[in-house]
Amino acid sequence: MSKLETKTWQGVRAEVQRRIRSRAWKPGDAIPFEADLAREFGCARATVNRALRDLAEAGLLERKRRSGTRVALHPTGRAVLDIPLIRKEVEAAGQAYGYELLSKALDAAPPHVVAGMERSDAAHLVHVVALHRADERPHVLEDRWIDPASVPDAATADFSTKSPNEWLLENVPFTRSELAIRALPADPDTAGSLDVAEGTAILTLDRATWLEGRPVTFVRLLHGADHVIRSSVTA
Amino acid sequence: MSKLETKTWQGVRAEVQRRIRSRAWKPGDAIPFEADLAREFGCARATVNRALRDLAEAGLLERKRRSGTRVALHPTGRAVLDIPLIRKEVEAAGQAYGYELLSKALDAAPPHVVAGMERSDAAHLVHVVALHRADERPHVLEDRWIDPASVPDAATADFSTKSPNEWLLENVPFTRSELAIRALPADPDTAGSLDVAEGTAILTLDRATWLEGRPVTFVRLLHGADHVIRSSVTA
């Protein structure tokens, strides 16, 4: 019997998860009946049911009407990525944050932006390119497109001291946001801004954001040399 | 008033999250008192409290003793990455899965494996290199190291038909697992296996796994050309 609190469904879930991860209950095994688990844990059967449903939704258990509940054979791992404000990320690493606006213009959206925003047309958008530095060195190149139809203030906003990353987070709501992580070779402009050789493998985060179905912004974050995104995996 | 179910704390959390994301409650704003929210939602004050605590832990709200609860000014975005079995990932995309073992040997762990496993020494580990294909094309090169001190069966296991990825998931428990995502240039071996030019930017996932503090395995997954990891962001 575990020392965990198993009176709540979260406590029961934690204990069941521990048994699965430690292989006390092996992949493919049938697990005990809910009534038996409730007796063992000293909780209501509904509490066990709630915990098992949650673990089934997370892919750790497979529940079938006839054959009962089994430990999933190939559970999907999950990793949660934190996506902080770039300034806060740099400061949290104990580094000095620097910011420089490189350009701001109304430009026709290129194909990868049209596709990323799920647009049907290559509209003219507010295009801002800015460099975030950590301890004087280039950290991230922010290549940002903002739809002035969704964010009218973007056309007149001054991004010379505050980054679009920070301005949007403070001022513009969203209802949906999609992330795509790639490795891309540095083109000449990117290589120049990030101070790396042309063709260097660049860890790239594309993020598109919508409000009630209307595209708000698309950003390509091009990371400096040796950047690593870290996370823990839960299974 | 929302149509959401606000009798449960999860329902209250969803409604509060909707108000924050839609900017009905703006960054930095003080939100209504718990008692007033409980009255509006028709639920117990403890239910509101549980929901607000959860959102504060997620970084969406800031709770201070004197000034009450405010919407966070710069909430950290979160993206959940699914990490499925490689075979299942390929099959889920409607592609034909193929697998080929390239090599298996007992090798001295190189520096990036020693560091990734948080080892103090360059032990000899079971080193398996295998190629996963999607529709005949190279999909992922699995460069895997397994510690035979933690997984004795790995020394004799036959990885010619089942990948280490799948074998470990079925047979070996873990209690901790760390992920690191990078962009690396393809070295000659990698370029040859993935059928890309040397120096091509390769999206790389390093994953190290421990059981009760003992290193179990380290894998570097080198992805084929144009690979993208996708996820949705919640803020």
Side-chain angles (χ1 to χ4, degrees):
Chain A
M1 188 59 197
S2 141
K3 281 175 209 154
L4 278 166
E5 170 59 68
T6 53
K7 305 296 175 195
T8 67
W9 71 265
Q10 291 95 338
V12 170
R13 181 183 57 184
E15 172 59 16
V16 170
Q17 194 163 356
R18 191 193 64 74
R19 292 181 185 191
I20 294 171
R21 292 177 83 176
S22 70
R23 298 295 196 275
W25 292 352
K26 295 185 177 54
D29 275 5
I31 72 168
F33 292 117
E34 286 182 5
D36 294 332
L37 287 173
R39 202 169 306 119
E40 183 193 351
F41 294 149
C43 68
R45 183 171 161 178
T47 305
V48 173
N49 182 272
R50 178 75 184 80
L52 299 188
R53 264 194 295 134
D54 196 73
L55 288 165
E57 275 167 30
L60 287 183
L61 292 174
E62 279 165 7
R63 287 155 74 81
K64 285 185 184 152
R65 193 123 43 109
R66 289 183 181 276
S67 52
T69 300
R70 291 179 176 276
V71 179
L73 208 50
H74 301 118
T76 296
R78 299 246 155 105
V80 177
L81 299 188
D82 280 340
I83 306 178
L85 187 68
I86 297 168
R87 176 172 62 76
K88 285 206 167 180
E89 180 192 4
V90 170
E91 290 170 353
Q95 299 178 299
Y97 174 73
Y99 171 75
E100 184 184 352
L101 176 64
L102 301 183
S103 68
K104 183 185 175 206
L106 200 66
D107 287 338
H112 78 275
V113 175
V114 173
M117 291 179 117
E118 301 174 4
R119 306 184 74 96
S120 49
D121 60 323
H124 276 66
L125 306 177
V126 177
H127 183 202
V128 184
V129 181
L131 184 65
H132 302 256
R133 288 198 179 83
D135 281 349
E136 313 273 319
R137 283 175 303 125
H139 178 64
V140 177
L141 186 65
E142 177 178 2
D143 186 353
R144 167 84 64 178
W145 300 77
I146 308 171
D147 191 335
S150 300
V151 190
D153 288 353
T156 52
D158 171 17
F159 295 116
S160 63
T161 54
K162 184 175 280 192
S163 71
N165 176 244
E166 190 153 353
W167 185 83
L168 285 162
L169 197 54
E170 288 173 5
N171 292 288
V172 181
F174 69 91
T175 49
R176 178 182 157 222
S177 184
E178 302 292 341
L179 189 72
I181 305 174
R182 298 164 211 271
L184 293 177
D187 64 23
D189 281 356
T190 302
S193 299
L194 290 176
D195 199 15
V196 297
E198 207 179 314
T200 297
I202 297 292
L203 189 58
T204 302
L205 260 76
D206 287 350
R207 184 172 171 187
T209 300
W210 293 263
L211 176 62
E212 316 282 353
R214 289 168 57 191
V216 170
T217 182
F218 177 93
V219 65
R220 173 160 282 181
L221 298 176
L222 297 139
H223 288 83
D226 303 325
H227 190 80
V228 185
I229 298 175
R230 292 183 191 281
S231 174
S232 294
V233 181
T234 54
Chain B
M1 190 56 198
S2 142
K3 281 175 210 155
L4 279 166
E5 171 57 67
T6 54
K7 306 296 175 193
T8 66
W9 71 267
Q10 293 94 338
V12 171
R13 181 183 58 185
E15 173 59 15
V16 170
Q17 193 163 357
R18 191 193 63 75
R19 292 180 185 192
I20 294 170
R21 293 177 83 177
S22 70
R23 297 295 196 276
W25 292 352
K26 295 185 179 53
D29 275 6
I31 73 167
F33 292 116
E34 286 182 6
D36 294 333
L37 287 173
R39 202 170 308 119
E40 183 194 349
F41 293 148
C43 68
R45 183 171 161 176
T47 305
V48 173
N49 181 273
R50 178 76 183 79
L52 299 188
R53 264 194 293 133
D54 196 74
L55 288 165
E57 276 167 29
L60 286 182
L61 293 174
E62 280 165 9
R63 287 155 74 80
K64 285 184 183 152
R65 193 124 42 110
R66 289 182 182 278
S67 53
T69 300
R70 292 180 176 275
V71 179
L73 210 50
H74 300 119
T76 296
R78 300 247 154 103
V80 176
L81 299 188
D82 280 339
I83 306 177
L85 187 68
I86 297 169
R87 177 172 64 74
K88 284 203 167 183
E89 180 192 5
V90 170
E91 291 170 352
Q95 299 179 300
Y97 175 73
Y99 171 77
E100 184 184 351
L101 175 64
L102 301 182
S103 68
K104 184 185 174 206
L106 200 68
D107 288 337
H112 77 276
V113 175
V114 172
M117 291 178 117
E118 302 174 1
R119 305 184 74 97
S120 49
D121 61 322
H124 276 66
L125 306 178
V126 176
H127 183 202
V128 184
V129 181
L131 183 65
H132 301 256
R133 288 198 180 83
D135 281 348
E136 312 275 318
R137 282 175 304 127
H139 179 62
V140 177
L141 186 65
E142 178 179 0
D143 186 353
R144 168 83 65 179
W145 300 78
I146 308 171
D147 191 335
S150 301
V151 190
D153 289 352
T156 52
D158 171 18
F159 296 115
S160 63
T161 56
K162 185 175 280 194
S163 71
N165 177 245
E166 191 153 351
W167 185 82
L168 285 162
L169 197 54
E170 288 173 6
N171 292 288
V172 181
F174 68 93
T175 49
R176 178 181 160 224
S177 184
E178 302 292 342
L179 189 71
I181 305 174
R182 298 164 211 272
L184 293 177
D187 64 22
D189 281 355
T190 302
S193 298
L194 290 177
D195 198 16
V196 297
E198 207 179 316
T200 296
I202 298 291
L203 189 58
T204 302
L205 260 76
D206 286 351
R207 186 173 170 186
T209 301
W210 293 263
L211 176 63
E212 316 282 350
R214 289 168 57 191
V216 171
T217 181
F218 177 94
V219 65
R220 173 160 281 182
L221 298 176
L222 298 139
H223 288 83
D226 303 325
H227 189 81
V228 185
I229 298 176
R230 293 182 191 281
S231 174
S232 294
V233 180
T234 55

